[in-house]
């Protein structure tokens, strides 16, 4: 059996080695390191793939979120609603811009932001909702867009974990996640479903005026050389990363299929175990692309299982061990712990198993039998 890894980027690289090596050599030969033709080519390729009018590449996913919020003109004191159960970057940028983060609980079945909780949290100061498509599963976008329209709010999709996932509306219209809200942010961190070999990110929107604003913000607020119309940032995707992304983008659907197949194999193996709640496929019109395979252990032995798997050289992780409303940086006297019942429960029950595009059957068999033997 090949050695188990949480994410196996080396095996994946072996399949795209020629395209990557040749493309990087071309960048070295032409010295177009920043904003070269490869970045423009990737921007066009991604716009086409997502069916979105504008892709604005930038330096990482956290920047993408921040720039999206700057582009919408959100002001200090504006309230932005997001999920309590997510990676800290989502709430971090809200706080950095001196907006007021309003954390709300998530749904039990999808692990994504609860639409009911969003509605309860809306006040006259609310300006935006940030749904996170957590672990590769789309949030309930149709309901979220309806709530946003009713209250005149922006929707900023945090699509760092679900690129390539389709969302199906009740009229059967399929749209790629990230092309639904007013603006979306994604990350090309190496381990993401579409990852480069360093840092990278992008912002997407169908709004021409917003796209223009965002293109200036990523470039020091310049719309004309050395004319700084707004306060911007320096956030660029470099050409070497664009080479890697151009090589991987045509394979993204097959990568996501490989992830779904691995998840299906895990789910099938665990179906009969009463102590495991596996992630369901395809609820609320989403088609889960399994950035992570996160299951729940319901007999209180999650931490013991974690230790047991580590002893057997099976990498595993807890995403996320502490709800954001309990993090020192994000506690707020307004929160009532009992309003976060689902997130609090998840923090004690969730465990993530190896998930990547190169998992082999004997590896999955070894992982699942080790888990089942321990829990029986
Ligand atoms: C990875 C991630 C980010 C941040 O992306 P970086 O490129 O690491 O800055 C933001 N939100 C979520 C949900 C993520 O998983």
């Amino acid at each position: 059996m090949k050695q188990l890894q949480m994410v196996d980027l080396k095996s994946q690289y072996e399949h795209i080695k020629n395209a990557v090596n040749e493309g990087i050599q071309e960048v070295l030969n032409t010295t177009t390191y920043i904003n070269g033709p490869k970045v423009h080519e990737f921007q066009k390729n991604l716009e086409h793939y997502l069916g979105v009018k504008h892709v604005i590449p930038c330096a990482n996913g956290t920047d993408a979120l921040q720039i999206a919020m700057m582009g919408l003109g959100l002001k200090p004191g504006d309230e932005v609603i997001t999920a309590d159960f997510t990676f800290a970057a989502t709430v971090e940028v809200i706080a950095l811009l001196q907006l007021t983060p309003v954390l709300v609980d998530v749904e039990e079945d999808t692990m994504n932001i609860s639409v009911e909780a969003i509605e309860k949290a809306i006040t006259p100061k609310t300006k935006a909702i940030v749904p996170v498509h957590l672990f590769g599963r789309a949030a309930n976008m149709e309901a979220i867009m309806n709530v946003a329209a009713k209250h005149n709010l922006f929707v900023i999709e945090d699509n760092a974990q679900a690129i390539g996932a389709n969302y199906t509306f009740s009229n059967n219209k399929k749209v790629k996640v990230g092309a639904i809200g007013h603006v979306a942010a994604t990350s090309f961190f190496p381990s993401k479903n579409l990852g480069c070999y360093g840092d990278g990110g992008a912002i997407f929107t169908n709004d021409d005026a917003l796209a223009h604003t965002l293109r200036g913000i990523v470039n020091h607020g310049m719309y004309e050389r050395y004319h700084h119309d707004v306060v911007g940032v320096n956030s660029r995707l470099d050409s070497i990363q664009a080479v890697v992304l151009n090589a991987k983008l045509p394979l993204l659907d097959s990568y996501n299929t490989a992830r779904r197949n691995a998840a299906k194999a895990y789910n099938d193996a665990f179906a009969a175990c009463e102590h495991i709640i596996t992630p369901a496929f395809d609820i609320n019109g989403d088609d889960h692309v399994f950035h992570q395979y996160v299951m729940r252990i319901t007999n209180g032995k999650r931490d013991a299982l974690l230790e047991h798997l580590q002893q057997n050289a099976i990498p595993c992780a807890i995403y996320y061990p502490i709800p954001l409303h309990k993090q020192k940086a994000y506690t707020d006297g307004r929160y009532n712990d009992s309003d976060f019942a689902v997130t609090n429960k998840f923090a004690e029950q969730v465990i993530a198993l190896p998930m990547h595009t190169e998992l082999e059957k004997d590896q999955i068999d070894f992982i699942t039998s080790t888990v089942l033997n321990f829990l029986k």
Side-chain angles (χ1 to χ4, degrees), residues 76-374:
D78 288 350
E79 293 180 3
V80 178
I81 299 174
T82 194
D84 190 36
F85 191 58
T86 174
F87 180 54
T90 318
V91 69
E92 179 178 59
V93 296
I94 300 173
L96 262 180
L97 292 173
Q98 294 184 299
L99 311 173
T100 305
V102 178
L103 296 168
V104 300
D105 208 3
V106 293
E107 298 172 343
E108 178 112 22
D109 55 350
T110 64
M111 299 188 158
N112 280 321
I113 194 164
S114 153
V115 179
E116 204 185 313
I118 292 174
E119 287 195 283
K120 268 203 227 153
I122 291 173
T123 75
K125 287 188 178 168
T126 308
K127 287 286 153 36
I129 306 168
V130 187
V132 183
H133 306 305
L134 198 70
F135 305 141
R137 185 198 295 287
N140 189 351
M141 287 307 290
E142 183 157 4
I144 291 169
M145 294 310 290
N146 287 339
V147 170
K150 193 164 120 196
H151 297 273
N152 203 17
L153 309 175
F154 293 118
V155 174
I156 303 157
E157 294 175 75
D158 182 339
N159 195 24
Q161 300 191 1
I163 198 159
N166 284 299
Y167 179 83
T168 310
F169 285 83
S170 50
N171 64 3
N172 282 326
K173 194 175 164 211
K174 264 189 198 297
V175 183
K176 282 263 186 304
V177 166
I180 304 169
H182 299 92
V183 61
T186 201
S187 164
F188 306 121
F189 184 78
S191 64
K192 306 282 174 166
N193 290 34
L194 179 63
C196 55
Y197 294 164
D199 274 309
I203 311 148
F204 325 142
T205 185
N206 283 311
D207 180 326
D208 297 339
L210 178 59
H212 175 76
T213 304
L214 294 168
R215 290 208 173 90
I217 293 174
V218 297
N219 189 25
H220 301 290
M222 279 194 286
Y223 296 90
E224 198 184 323
R225 205 163 172 77
Y226 300 121
H227 291 253
H228 303 273
D229 296 356
V230 294
V231 176
V233 295
N234 166 25
S235 191
R236 300 183 280 234
L237 181 73
D238 67 73
S239 304
I240 286 178
Q241 303 313 331
V243 164
V244 177
L245 293 165
N246 279 326
K248 284 193 181 186
L249 183 59
L251 300 170
L252 179 57
D253 287 346
S254 65
Y255 287 163
N256 284 340
T257 300
R259 289 172 178 276
R260 282 169 66 87
N261 289 343
K264 178 84 174 36
Y266 281 138
N267 275 9
D268 287 349
F270 297 142
C273 179
E274 56 177 335
H275 306 305
I276 299 177
I277 299 176
T278 57
F281 273 64
D282 306 342
I283 30 184
N284 285 338
D286 75 72
D287 65 348
H288 203 319
V289 293
F290 289 95
H291 172 58
Q292 300 292 354
Y293 181 85
V294 175
M295 59 179 189
R296 292 162 54 194
I297 306 299
T298 55
N299 64 353
K301 298 207 170 139
R302 191 271 314 266
D303 291 340
L305 173 65
L306 184 88
E307 206 172 296
H308 180 73
L309 295 180
Q310 284 167 347
Q311 279 163 2
N312 284 276
I314 297 175
C316 51
I318 311 292
Y319 305 121
Y320 295 94
I322 306 169
L324 289 176
H325 79 277
K326 289 185 177 166
Q327 299 283 358
K328 264 192 213 161
Y330 305 113
T331 50
D332 186 320
R334 296 183 304 173
Y335 295 141
N336 191 340
D337 193 51
S338 63
D339 288 335
F340 300 95
V342 179
T343 309
N344 286 339
K345 181 164 69 180
F346 285 175
E348 288 173 5
Q349 295 184 339
V350 292
I351 184 166
L353 299 181
M355 174 51 73
H356 53 80
T357 59
E358 315 297 317
L359 274 167
E360 291 173 0
K361 186 175 182 305
D362 60 343
Q363 295 180 304
I364 293 180
D365 289 345
F366 176 68
I367 295 165
T368 54
S369 60
T370 309
V371 169
L372 290 169
N373 283 335
F374 179 78

